[in-house]
Amino acid sequence: MTPKKTTRRKLLKGLGLGAAAGLLGMHPQAHARNESVTPASLNGLPPLKITNVRAIGTAPSGSNLIVVKVETSEPGLYGLGCATFTQRAFAVITAIEKYLQDFCVGKDVDTIEDMWQSAFVSSYWRNGPVLNNAISGLDQALWDIKGKRANMPVYQLLGGKCRFAVPCYTHASGNTPEAAADQVSGYMEEGYRYVRIQQGGYGGTALTGEPDFKKQGYGRETDQYMDQGKYIRDVPKLFETVRRQCGESVELLHDIHERLEPMDAIRVVKSTEPYHPFFIEDPFSPEQMEWFQALREATTVPLAMGELFNNINEFKEPITNRMFDYIRIHISQIGGISPAMKVARLGEFYGVKTAWHGPGDVSPVGHAANAHIDLAVWNFGIQEAARISDLSREIFPGSPTMKDGYMWVNEAPGLGVDINEDLAKKYPMHTRSNWTVRKFDGTIIRP
């Protein structure tokens, strides 16, 4: 038996004796002082301090991934959290190592809520994806530590399982509706009940020719071109073809990705009604939220929104007014597990379900955080599948797994994911970003 296990066994034994004494009114110090037993005196786990906070960056599959490692005063006990903002990864690294590390060292690892609140306002000007991702890495790592201390998976600390595993949707695309339908059929054979369908990628950018702005030398060679009119015409044809080929048993999703003018987005959503999609995602940019009322009045198609929101308060009005049906949170973007749980709980009161963002630019630690919340919240809706490469699994042992359309966590204490830092170093990050999309004349299309 290792010394650590021996220490924990003695600790638990001591906890049992101390608890019994407290119940019988026999706590000697409290009796001598004629005081009630304080919570600290009943705490069977010794206090732990944060000794170091650092960022680990890697890009094994192309996307920049950032993990925060929080080390503690108990040798060998640390936590990991996802802080991935892939487009501005080095800015997040700086926020963690130059500011968050100094802010955290010496603080109690158990005070997660206090740590989150104080970190959120410590820069005075708060919010934004850089600072929120840094806080998220800290928050998730603290939950990871708390689960390890309790010897429980994090979902147990959030209330326990509401389902045996996490149903997920995956992505099908193709240059023709038939090609996309073929992919859907293949995923159905793998056990997926939910598939998001696109034609030529987001907005059909892979299907367009050379735009006028490129002929005129405007913009950069890598800038993408979207033919919005063609996209508007293609969406209902895509849904019709997939439904005809794949039948009614599969749930179909689609992402507009905020790339249309509001009235055009309403047209597209309405055009999918005959094919009863599971949801249409991101019809408007965050700057155009006022259009949701008009969209609600125009259609009964379920809607998902929120992956670009930075502040959890941005969810308050749309949820309480039932402007959309699915909470599309990127958990590291809003600051971690703690704020995500608050938004999920708010949604429960208004019949709004969760649909956490889980693309390739979320680390396996972040996918695990998604899954642990998914298991614990009653108003779960759907989860984006974690398609983690073999190389990423080697770097992140314990990553969630996919089987029969479900995501599974490994039931280890905490979030259950570790990191091989030596291997991670072999795949350094980069500064490339591919989110520049233009109209034919060169006008930027949001997001």
Side-chain angles (χ1 to χ4, degrees):
M1 180 177 291
T2 64
K4 183 175 178 181
K5 288 183 178 178
T6 302
T7 300
R8 287 188 180 280
R9 178 169 291 181
K10 289 180 179 177
L11 195 62
L12 291 172
K13 184 177 180 181
L15 173 61
L17 293 173
L23 288 171
L24 294 172
M26 296 167 55
H27 195 281
Q29 291 179 337
H31 179 74
R33 294 191 306 264
N34 195 25
E35 296 174 359
S36 61
V37 179
T38 64
S41 67
L42 289 176
N43 183 4
L45 295 175
L48 280 186
K49 300 298 182 183
I50 295 174
T51 58
N52 195 26
V53 177
R54 53 193 182 85
I56 305 167
T58 186
S61 300
S63 294
N64 294 326
L65 306 176
I66 304 170
V67 169
V68 170
K69 186 172 187 178
V70 175
E71 299 169 347
T72 75
S73 53
E74 180 178 323
L77 178 59
Y78 58 85
L80 300 177
C82 183
T84 298
F85 178 17
T86 195
Q87 287 83 10
R88 298 294 182 267
F90 290 99
V92 178
I93 295 281
T94 299
I96 294 164
E97 295 187 342
K98 301 299 183 183
Y99 299 100
L100 200 60
Q101 200 270 354
D102 180 68
F103 173 82
C104 291
V105 169
K107 293 188 176 179
D108 186 342
V109 299
D110 286 327
T111 57
I112 297 177
E113 181 67 16
D114 180 76
M115 196 92 70
W116 194 96
Q117 295 290 349
S118 58
F120 185 66
V121 299
S122 67
S123 60
Y124 184 65
W125 282 284
R126 53 231 189 216
N127 240 332
V130 172
L131 296 181
N132 279 5
N133 272 278
I135 294 172
S136 169
L138 170 65
D139 179 81
Q140 291 183 29
L142 293 177
W143 279 104
D144 189 29
I145 292 169
K146 193 175 285 288
K148 291 172 180 175
R149 294 247 279 165
N151 199 30
M152 291 181 178
V154 165
Y155 70 76
Q156 293 286 17
L157 305 181
L158 302 178
K161 285 185 178 180
C162 290
R163 52 203 53 84
F164 68 86
V166 181
C168 293
Y169 72 85
T170 192
H171 307 281
S173 187
N175 289 342
T176 66
E178 292 78 14
D182 288 342
Q183 279 199 15
V184 174
S185 296
Y187 287 130
M188 292 173 69
E189 292 176 2
E190 293 181 18
Y192 283 95
R193 295 175 172 84
Y194 307 83
V195 183
R196 191 171 78 180
I197 56 174
Q198 310 291 146
Q199 185 176 342
Y202 297 128
T205 55
L207 306 178
T208 52
E210 186 180 17
D212 291 345
F213 76 82
K214 287 197 174 182
K215 294 176 184 177
Q216 297 298 321
Y218 190 80
R220 301 183 64 176
E221 186 61 32
T222 55
D223 292 352
Q224 295 179 307
Y225 164 50
M226 177 181 176
D227 184 335
Q228 293 169 306
K230 183 179 187 308
Y231 169 75
I232 291 168
R233 297 187 296 271
D234 283 347
V235 170
K237 297 176 185 176
L238 172 65
F239 269 89
E240 192 277 331
T241 300
V242 174
R243 272 282 174 246
R244 185 178 66 248
Q245 181 171 321
C246 300
E248 300 291 332
S249 63
V250 62
E251 297 282 3
L252 300 179
L253 303 77
H254 179 75
D255 188 1
I256 293 177
H257 226 291
E258 307 102 353
R259 296 187 178 190
L260 294 175
E261 300 302 320
M263 287 303 294
D264 289 333
I266 293 174
R267 286 172 54 200
V268 167
V269 175
K270 281 186 61 66
S271 75
T272 68
E273 276 187 345
Y275 315 106
H276 41 88
F278 184 77
F279 68 57
I280 301 295
E281 179 182 344
D282 288 352
F284 311 124
S285 69
E287 296 84 2
Q288 299 291 346
M289 289 297 295
E290 293 82 2
W291 282 90
F292 265 98
Q293 183 174 349
L295 179 56
R296 274 302 206 204
E297 293 170 354
T299 182
T300 58
V301 170
L303 306 170
M305 183 70 190
E307 73 183 57
L308 281 178
F309 290 178
N310 281 306
N311 190 318
I312 59 173
N313 293 289
E314 292 179 82
F315 287 94
K316 184 167 58 178
E317 282 195 34
I319 286 178
T320 56
N321 290 308
R322 300 177 174 88
M323 290 292 98
F324 47 69
D325 306 274
Y326 293 91
I327 301 164
R328 191 76 174 126
I329 276 180
H330 188 99
I331 288 180
S332 67
Q333 175 87 344
I334 62 159
I337 292 171
S338 296
M341 284 296 296
K342 293 174 183 179
V343 178
R345 297 305 191 203
L346 177 64
E348 180 178 340
F349 286 95
Y350 293 91
V352 182
K353 299 179 180 181
T354 64
W356 305 144
H357 191 220
D361 53 356
V362 169
S363 76
V365 178
H367 287 301
N370 285 344
H372 280 270
I373 299 176
D374 292 334
L375 289 168
V377 296
W378 175 80
N379 57 319
F380 166 81
I382 194 63
Q383 174 61 56
E384 190 167 3
R387 310 291 274 192
I388 302 171
S389 70
D390 290 341
L391 175 57
S392 291
R393 291 186 182 280
E394 192 175 353
I395 293 173
F396 295 96
S399 294
T401 55
M402 297 297 307
K403 183 181 179 182
D404 299 328
Y406 290 91
M407 191 191 310
W408 303 75
V409 297
N410 63 25
E411 302 296 336
L415 293 174
V417 183
D418 208 342
I419 187 168
N420 182 332
E421 295 190 53
D422 291 334
L423 186 55
K425 291 176 184 177
K426 296 180 180 180
Y427 302 92
M429 298 193 308
H430 53 80
T431 57
R432 296 185 300 276
S433 177
N434 64 344
W435 281 107
T436 303
V437 183
R438 299 180 184 271
K439 298 180 182 180
F440 68 93
D441 65 353
T443 302
I444 289 291
I445 294 174
R446 289 183 174 178

